[in-house]
Amino acid sequence: MTVLAAGEVSPGLLGFVVVALLGLALFVLIKSMNKQMSKIQVPHESDQDNKKADVDAD
């Protein structure tokens, strides 16, 4: 058994696993966010100008 001094604390395997899982979760969330963002259709300025002109003409 290894005895560490008061200032020598090691995170060990558990610390690595926690950080790895957080990194994996972050990767999955960013990938999902990019998928959802690609579904959003942003209108172009010309489309907005055409709609405004149509409303003014009525």
Side-chain angles (χ1 to χ4, degrees), residues 13-50:
L13 181 62
L14 180 62
F16 172 75
V17 169
V18 169
V19 171
L21 288 175
L22 286 172
L24 180 64
L26 180 64
F27 174 77
V28 170
L29 286 171
I30 290 174
K31 190 169 179 158
S32 174
M33 180 190 66
N34 284 335
K35 183 178 176 182
Q36 296 299 321
M37 292 289 282
S38 67
K39 291 180 181 180
I40 297 174
Q41 294 185 4
V42 180
H44 298 286
E45 280 187 36
S46 60
D47 294 341
Q48 290 177 350
D49 291 341
N50 290 341

